[in-house]
Amino acid sequence: AQSVAQPEDQVNVAEGNPLTVKCTYSVSGNPYLFWYVQYPNRGLQFLLKYITGDNLVKGSYGFEAEFNKSQTSFHLKKPSALVSDSALYFCAVRVANDYKLSFGAGTTVTVRA
Amino acid sequence: DTAVSQTPKYLVTQMGNDKSIKCEQNLGHDTMYWYKQDSKKFLKIMFSYNNKELIINETVPNRFSPKSPDKAHLNLHINSLELGDSAVYFCASSQVGGSSYNEQFFGPGTRLTVL
């Protein structure tokens, strides 16, 4: 079975500071990893994904994530957070030949001005 | 142009009623999904159709029945609504054929409230 853990329910940072949202996963086989963001009363928006290749993946809105196989992690990062980054962030995982995408519980990010 | 659309956006109804939520995607994708997001924002897959064939059918009460008339549409019908069905229901789509790596695109959600 595949699963995702987001150990922090909430992350609070000041605008301009670095932002990190943590994600660890558990799968049998090679993982395909995704990050999504959900703004209030909206659907999920895709940010970035790791399939294979370079462990550092760059995505939308200045976000990036680093795949670490030994630590089974895929943490989301942004060098300088904006107030507009305040939202709910979901990490998700799937494996090849499986249509099912398993989501973490989500991390609420609050960026204060 | 809206990529994945859902109707209605809000649905308020009484216990015991039957209701439907509709979803349409104009992305040309071959796979569509229904998710339920509960009050704690936890997101859980319910169903998925690939080229009109049911491929994911999670542990969901049989009061919930998906129907896919064609690749671009996936509807969700709920019979005998219960209080616990109150949630936000998201439709999503992705292109699976040719690549299993593609991300899913989500609709805006339907907030169902059962009174």
Side-chain angles (χ1 to χ4, degrees):
Chain A
Q2 59 199 41
S3 65
V4 173
Q6 292 181 241
E8 299 160 317
D9 290 337
Q10 290 204 350
V11 170
N12 298 308
V13 298
E15 189 172 36
N17 282 1
L19 169 63
T20 298
V21 186
K22 295 180 180 177
C23 171
T24 59
Y25 65 90
S26 174
V27 297
S28 298
N30 293 321
Y32 300 154
L33 294 153
F34 302 81
W35 275 103
Y36 287 83
V37 60
Q38 184 180 23
Y39 297 100
N41 299 313
R42 302 284 294 275
L44 277 71
Q45 295 179 29
F46 168 75
L47 281 178
L48 50 79
K49 64 184 176 185
Y50 172 82
I51 304 301
T52 186
D54 193 346
N55 289 343
L56 185 62
V57 178
K58 294 187 183 296
S60 307
Y61 311 121
F63 284 94
E64 58 189 30
E66 185 164 12
F67 172 65
N68 187 317
K69 189 171 183 177
S70 62
Q71 297 186 3
T72 62
S73 67
F74 189 56
H75 301 330
L76 181 70
K77 299 180 181 182
K78 185 169 185 179
S80 178
L82 301 172
V83 172
S84 57
D85 293 328
S86 298
L88 180 58
Y89 290 80
F90 289 98
C91 183
V93 68
R94 59 172 292 192
V95 294
N97 302 319
D98 187 347
Y99 294 97
K100 184 178 174 181
L101 188 60
S102 296
F103 284 84
T107 298
T108 298
V109 170
T110 302
V111 182
R112 59 186 184 277
Chain B
D1 287 341
T2 304
V4 182
S5 59
Q6 297 178 227
T7 53
K9 188 169 177 61
Y10 299 97
L11 186 52
V12 181
T13 188
Q14 299 288 330
M15 268 197 314
N17 284 352
D18 303 339
K19 291 292 179 185
S20 291
I21 306 171
K22 296 186 176 182
C23 178
E24 177 181 2
Q25 55 96 1
N26 63 7
L27 298 167
H29 290 164
D30 59 6
T31 305
M32 297 183 71
Y33 312 80
W34 276 113
Y35 289 88
K36 179 180 181 180
Q37 187 174 46
D38 63 22
S39 59
K40 295 185 177 180
K41 305 297 185 183
F42 188 72
L43 203 60
K44 183 174 168 55
I45 182 73
M46 299 174 69
F47 302 104
S48 178
Y49 273 76
N50 173 257
N51 288 318
K52 300 196 300 175
E53 178 185 350
L54 183 64
I55 56 170
I56 296 176
N57 187 358
E58 291 292 286
T59 307
V60 176
N62 58 15
R63 297 182 295 103
F64 290 78
S65 55
K67 283 188 172 54
S68 181
D70 55 58
K71 284 197 312 181
H73 297 85
L74 180 61
N75 303 324
L76 183 65
H77 188 75
I78 316 171
N79 289 327
S80 303
L81 278 156
E82 299 178 357
L83 294 176
D85 297 332
S86 296
V88 180
Y89 293 84
F90 286 102
C91 177
S93 74
S94 69
Q95 179 61 29
V96 174
S99 169
S100 61
Y101 317 138
N102 293 323
E103 61 272 21
Q104 295 180 15
F105 290 77
F106 283 76
T110 295
R111 183 174 295 275
L112 171 64
T113 303
V114 182
L115 303 175

